[in-house]
């Protein structure tokens, strides 16, 4: 856990705490607790044991030789976060925050979710640590992610349907924030990505940086050097920032964040490609917004990328030029979903399929002795019905 800590909560001009006065005490309490716990040996040991014995870390780094041959260029490695308990990288963060909440004496946990993976991972962390979980989810996302909704309920979580606004992740976050303001004394809000008011962006990044740290060790063991490029999908941006952050000072490693291009201009969630600065959910960052500054509706086949903002550290990485951000369309993501399934026998989440689609194109223009790592952030079980429906099939 760790790395640089922005004491003022800012990554350049981005980040901060744009919150109502009623939330200030809770955010300050959280920051004090986190600063204490990130130095606490017993906290680190307990978290490490949970990540190893419960979540399943370290995850493998797999040389996708068939996909490499198909791409016709650089060697492609897959960081297999899809093999974690819960089926996605989200468990790295929920176990960390739930453990922090328990040590803070907060027995009730609330969370928001889009694709449902963060909700499932929150429910799992709460079950193993003896905490009560309640999850807010947009009604549209509930409809397209029924399997994950059922999994949350099986794990003992209460799921609140949010029918306001776009009925997706943005609105689920709004409702979770309202709940938190009302129940500060006994409630801890586990934010699922590197978004929100400080210290959430840095805290979630730290919990997810285990991904990039493992990649560094594994690539040195397998190739004797660091990768030439790292590619990950970006919604809020936790799996990508967890991948990128440990490479921040390794300038020879090129970093690529892949956003949801949806169905085209104005119908996407490509925040860093098409957005501009604004304030949302307690942070200054890039947003998709209209000419009046109103937050725009987003569109993506992947619920986990369907968010009009992005983590503030990603905005800083874009402006500084340390990372490059691109977008991949729904159609391209679906093709990559099928490609990886058929070439490697690995069914990726639609979110991760965006990264796969771009990485295959990138690899094709690179030398055969170069290497790319794709962070496969989650598995695709949850998306099979979406793919089937798109093909006109009933399952």
């Amino acid at each position: 856990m760790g790395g640089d800590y922005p004491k003022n909560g800012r990554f350049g001009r981005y980040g901060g705490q744009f919150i109502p006065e009623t939330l200030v005490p809770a955010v300050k309490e959280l920051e004090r607790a986190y600063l204490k716990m990130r130095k606490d040996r017993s906290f680190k040991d307990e978290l490490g044991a949970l990540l190893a014995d419960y979540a399943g870390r370290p995850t493998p780094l797999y040389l996708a030789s068939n996909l490499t041959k198909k791409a016709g260029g650089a060697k492609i490695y897959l960081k297999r976060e899809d093999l974690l308990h819960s089926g996605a990288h989200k468990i790295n963060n929920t176990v960390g925050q739930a453990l922090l909440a328990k040590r803070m004496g907060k027995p009730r946990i609330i969370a928001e979710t889009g694709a449902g993976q963060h909700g499932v991972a929150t429910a799992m962390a709460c079950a193993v640590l003896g905490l009560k979980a309640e999850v807010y989810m947009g009604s549209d996302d509930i409809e397209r992610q029924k399997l994950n909704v059922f999994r949350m309920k099986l794990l003992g979580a209460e799921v609140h349907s949010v029918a306001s606004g776009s009925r997706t992740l943005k609105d689920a976050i709004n409702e979770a924030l309202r709940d938190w303001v009302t129940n500060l004394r006994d409630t801890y809000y586990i934010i699922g990505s590197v978004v929100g008011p400080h210290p959430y962006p840095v805290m979630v990044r730290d919990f997810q940086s285990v991904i990039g740290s493992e990649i560094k060790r594994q690539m040195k063991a397998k190739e004797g050097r660091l990768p030439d490029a790292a590619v990950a999908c970006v919604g809020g941006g936790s799996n990508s920032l967890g991948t990128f952050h440990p490479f921040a000072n390794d300038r020879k490693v090129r970093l690529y964040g892949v956003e949801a291009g949806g169905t085209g201009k104005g119908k996407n969630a490509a925040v860093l490609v098409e957005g501009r600065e604004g304030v949302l959910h307690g942070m200054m960052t890039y947003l998709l917004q209209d000419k009046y500054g109103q937050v725009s509706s987003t569109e993506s086949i992947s619920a986990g990328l369907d968010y009009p903002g992005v983590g503030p550290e990603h905005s800083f990485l874009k402006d500084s030029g340390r990372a490059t951000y691109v977008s991949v369309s729904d159609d391209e993501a679906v093709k990559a979903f099928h490609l990886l399934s058929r070439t490697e026998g690995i069914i990726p989440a639609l979110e991760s399929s965006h990264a796969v689609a771009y990485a295959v194109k990138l690899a094709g223009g690179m030398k055969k002795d170069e290497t790319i790592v794709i962070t496969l952030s989650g598995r695709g079980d949850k998306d099979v019905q979406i793919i089937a429906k798109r093909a006109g099939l009933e399952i």
Side-chain angles (χ1 to χ4, degrees), residues 62 64-72 76 78 328 330-350 352-364 374 376 387:
Y62 169 69
S65 54
N66 296 329
L67 188 64
T68 297
K69 192 178 298 182
K70 194 83 173 176
I76 299 174
L78 304 177
V328 158
D330 285 352
D331 286 344
E332 291 173 307
V334 170
K335 286 177 184 174
F337 179 96
H338 288 297
L339 177 64
L340 189 61
S341 298
R342 291 168 182 172
T343 57
E344 296 290 351
I346 298 170
I347 302 175
L350 277 170
S352 309
S353 299
H354 287 72
V356 173
Y358 183 74
V360 167
K361 287 191 288 187
L362 184 67
I374 306 170
L376 205 65
I387 295 295

Side-chain angles (χ1 to χ4, degrees), residues 29 35 63 108 115 161 196 219 225 231 259 277 337-338 377:
E29 179 191 25
L35 284 171
L63 175 59
R108 178 177 178 261
S161 177
M219 281 300 293
R225 61 188 182 89
V231 182
E259 297 188 299
E277 292 176 7
F337 179 96
H338 288 297
S377 57

Side-chain angles (χ1 to χ4, degrees), residues 61 74-79 215 219 225-232 243-244 247 250-257 322 324 358-360 362-363 366-367 369-375:
L61 184 69
K75 284 194 276 188
I76 299 174
Y77 282 89
L78 304 177
K79 181 55 173 165
I215 291 172
M219 281 300 293
R225 61 188 182 89
L226 297 179
D228 294 287
V231 182
T243 301
F244 296 170
F247 291 103
D250 300 301
R251 295 283 171 171
K252 291 184 178 180
V253 181
R254 303 193 300 278
L255 308 175
Y256 296 92
R322 180 62 189 96
T324 300
Y358 183 74
V360 167
L362 184 67
M366 293 171 65
K367 298 174 184 176
D369 63 348
E370 292 183 303
T371 57
I372 293 176
V373 175
I374 306 170
T375 296

Side-chain angles (χ1 to χ4, degrees), residues 17 44 49 63 88 98 132 148 270 281 292 323 347 363 372:
Q17 295 175 332
K44 289 182 179 180
L63 175 59
K132 176 179 170 55
N148 273 342
H281 297 143
Y292 303 108
I347 302 175
I372 293 176

Side-chain angles (χ1 to χ4, degrees), residues 15 34 75 114 145 181 199 203 285 327 331 376 380 382 391:
Y34 180 61
K75 284 194 276 188
Q145 296 292 345
V181 169
M203 183 168 64
T285 190
S327 64
D331 286 344
L376 205 65
K382 67 183 180 59

